Amino acid sequence: MRKISITVIMCLMLAVMTGCSSSDTEKLKQDNSFNSFSAQQTKNDYEMKGTAYLSSERDLVSVNILADTEITLKGTLKKQEGEIKLLYEDTKGNITTLLNSEDLKQKTIKVDIPVSLKAGNGKFYLSGTSCIYDFDFKLSLNDEVEYLE
């Protein structure tokens, strides 16, 4: 009985210290939420960072491509749980998988990917089932690419 009480107390302390109960985490995943999300254009790139709680997919940024071009996506993904994909969808609905964590089997994934973009509208997004990942991405700037908030 005493061991059970100590275990319950330890679990409660852990929930209070982390600030997010398992039911809160599950709700965030069901809502396909970003936590501590920020996105901004700097002098050198377009930066996006935060924590993704996913049960399906969530857009990172939409883009308007004025002419066919190429940009570079750099950054990191840090796994807390589950598997995730980083994807790009072009104006015709063609989807390109830029990264699939199942293929890499790493807790921290370094990203440095050239991305060919066709003229028109597109979007970068994350997709996963019951996953949590910290991300920090930088998309290179290019006169042919407009990042839409």
CSV table of all heavy atoms in Angstrom, one decimal, residues 77 79 82-86 99-106 109 133:
chain,number,residue,atom,x,y,z
A,77,LEU,N,14.8,18.4,-36.1
A,77,LEU,CA,13.6,17.8,-35.5
A,77,LEU,C,14.0,17.0,-34.3
A,77,LEU,O,15.0,16.2,-34.5
A,77,LEU,CB,12.9,16.9,-36.5
A,77,LEU,CG,11.8,17.5,-37.4
A,77,LEU,CD1,11.5,16.4,-38.5
A,77,LEU,CD2,10.6,17.9,-36.7
A,79,LYS,N,12.7,14.3,-31.6
A,79,LYS,CA,11.5,13.4,-31.3
A,79,LYS,C,11.3,13.3,-29.8
A,79,LYS,O,12.2,13.1,-29.0
A,79,LYS,CB,11.9,12.0,-31.8
A,79,LYS,CG,10.8,10.9,-31.5
A,79,LYS,CD,11.3,9.6,-32.0
A,79,LYS,CE,10.2,8.5,-31.8
A,79,LYS,NZ,10.5,7.3,-32.5
A,82,GLY,N,6.5,9.1,-31.3
A,82,GLY,CA,5.8,8.9,-32.5
A,82,GLY,C,6.7,9.1,-33.7
A,82,GLY,O,7.9,9.3,-33.6
A,83,GLU,N,6.1,9.1,-34.9
A,83,GLU,CA,6.8,9.3,-36.2
A,83,GLU,C,6.2,10.5,-36.9
A,83,GLU,O,5.0,10.7,-36.8
A,83,GLU,CB,6.8,8.1,-37.0
A,83,GLU,CG,7.4,6.8,-36.4
A,83,GLU,CD,8.9,7.0,-36.0
A,83,GLU,OE1,9.6,7.8,-36.6
A,83,GLU,OE2,9.3,6.3,-35.1
A,84,ILE,N,7.0,11.2,-37.7
A,84,ILE,CA,6.5,12.4,-38.3
A,84,ILE,C,7.1,12.5,-39.8
A,84,ILE,O,8.1,11.9,-40.1
A,84,ILE,CB,7.0,13.7,-37.5
A,84,ILE,CG1,6.2,14.9,-37.9
A,84,ILE,CG2,8.5,13.9,-37.6
A,84,ILE,CD1,6.3,16.0,-36.9
A,85,LYS,N,6.4,13.2,-40.6
A,85,LYS,CA,6.8,13.5,-42.0
A,85,LYS,C,6.8,15.0,-42.2
A,85,LYS,O,5.9,15.7,-41.7
A,85,LYS,CB,5.9,12.8,-43.0
A,85,LYS,CG,6.0,11.3,-43.0
A,85,LYS,CD,5.0,10.8,-44.1
A,85,LYS,CE,5.0,9.3,-44.1
A,85,LYS,NZ,4.1,8.7,-45.1
A,86,LEU,N,7.8,15.5,-43.0
A,86,LEU,CA,7.8,16.8,-43.4
A,86,LEU,C,7.5,16.8,-44.9
A,86,LEU,O,8.2,16.1,-45.7
A,86,LEU,CB,9.2,17.5,-43.1
A,86,LEU,CG,9.5,18.8,-43.7
A,86,LEU,CD1,8.5,19.9,-43.1
A,86,LEU,CD2,10.9,19.2,-43.4
A,99,LEU,N,11.0,14.6,-45.7
A,99,LEU,CA,11.6,13.8,-44.6
A,99,LEU,C,10.6,12.9,-44.0
A,99,LEU,O,9.5,13.3,-43.8
A,99,LEU,CB,12.1,14.8,-43.5
A,99,LEU,CG,12.8,14.3,-42.3
A,99,LEU,CD1,14.0,15.2,-41.9
A,99,LEU,CD2,11.9,14.1,-41.2
A,100,ASN,N,11.0,11.7,-43.7
A,100,ASN,CA,10.2,10.7,-43.0
A,100,ASN,C,11.0,10.1,-41.8
A,100,ASN,O,12.0,9.4,-42.0
A,100,ASN,CB,9.8,9.6,-43.9
A,100,ASN,CG,8.8,8.6,-43.3
A,100,ASN,OD1,8.7,8.5,-42.1
A,100,ASN,ND2,8.1,7.9,-44.1
A,101,SER,N,10.6,10.4,-40.6
A,101,SER,CA,11.4,10.0,-39.4
A,101,SER,C,11.5,8.5,-39.3
A,101,SER,O,12.5,8.0,-38.8
A,101,SER,CB,10.8,10.6,-38.1
A,101,SER,OG,9.5,10.0,-37.9
A,102,GLU,N,10.5,7.8,-39.9
A,102,GLU,CA,10.6,6.3,-39.8
A,102,GLU,C,11.8,5.8,-40.6
A,102,GLU,O,12.4,4.7,-40.2
A,102,GLU,CB,9.3,5.7,-40.4
A,102,GLU,CG,8.1,5.8,-39.5
A,102,GLU,CD,6.9,5.0,-40.0
A,102,GLU,OE1,6.4,5.5,-41.0
A,102,GLU,OE2,6.6,4.0,-39.5
A,103,ASP,N,12.2,6.5,-41.6
A,103,ASP,CA,13.3,6.0,-42.4
A,103,ASP,C,14.7,6.3,-41.7
A,103,ASP,O,15.7,5.7,-42.0
A,103,ASP,CB,13.3,6.8,-43.8
A,103,ASP,CG,12.1,6.4,-44.6
A,103,ASP,OD1,11.5,5.4,-44.4
A,103,ASP,OD2,11.8,7.2,-45.5
A,104,LEU,N,14.7,7.3,-40.8
A,104,LEU,CA,15.9,7.7,-40.2
A,104,LEU,C,16.3,7.1,-38.9
A,104,LEU,O,17.4,7.1,-38.5
A,104,LEU,CB,15.9,9.3,-40.1
A,104,LEU,CG,15.8,10.0,-41.5
A,104,LEU,CD1,15.6,11.5,-41.3
A,104,LEU,CD2,16.9,9.7,-42.4
A,105,LYS,N,15.2,6.8,-38.1
A,105,LYS,CA,15.4,6.1,-36.8
A,105,LYS,C,16.4,6.9,-35.9
A,105,LYS,O,17.2,6.3,-35.2
A,105,LYS,CB,16.0,4.7,-37.0
A,105,LYS,CG,15.1,3.8,-37.9
A,105,LYS,CD,13.8,3.5,-37.2
A,105,LYS,CE,13.0,2.5,-38.1
A,105,LYS,NZ,11.6,2.5,-37.9
A,106,GLN,N,16.3,8.2,-35.8
A,106,GLN,CA,17.1,9.0,-34.9
A,106,GLN,C,16.2,9.9,-34.1
A,106,GLN,O,15.1,10.3,-34.5
A,106,GLN,CB,18.0,9.9,-35.8
A,106,GLN,CG,19.0,9.2,-36.7
A,106,GLN,CD,19.6,10.2,-37.7
A,106,GLN,OE1,19.4,11.4,-37.7
A,106,GLN,NE2,20.5,9.6,-38.5
A,109,ILE,N,17.0,14.8,-35.6
A,109,ILE,CA,17.3,14.7,-37.0
A,109,ILE,C,17.7,16.1,-37.5
A,109,ILE,O,17.0,17.1,-37.3
A,109,ILE,CB,16.0,14.3,-37.8
A,109,ILE,CG1,15.5,13.0,-37.3
A,109,ILE,CG2,16.2,14.3,-39.3
A,109,ILE,CD1,14.1,12.6,-37.7
A,133,TYR,N,7.0,16.4,-31.6
A,133,TYR,CA,8.3,16.7,-32.1
A,133,TYR,C,8.6,18.2,-31.8
A,133,TYR,O,7.7,19.0,-32.1
A,133,TYR,CB,8.5,16.5,-33.6
A,133,TYR,CG,8.9,15.1,-33.9
A,133,TYR,CD1,7.9,14.0,-33.9
A,133,TYR,CD2,10.2,14.7,-34.2
A,133,TYR,CE1,8.3,12.7,-34.2
A,133,TYR,CE2,10.5,13.4,-34.5
A,133,TYR,CZ,9.6,12.4,-34.5
A,133,TYR,OH,9.9,11.1,-34.8
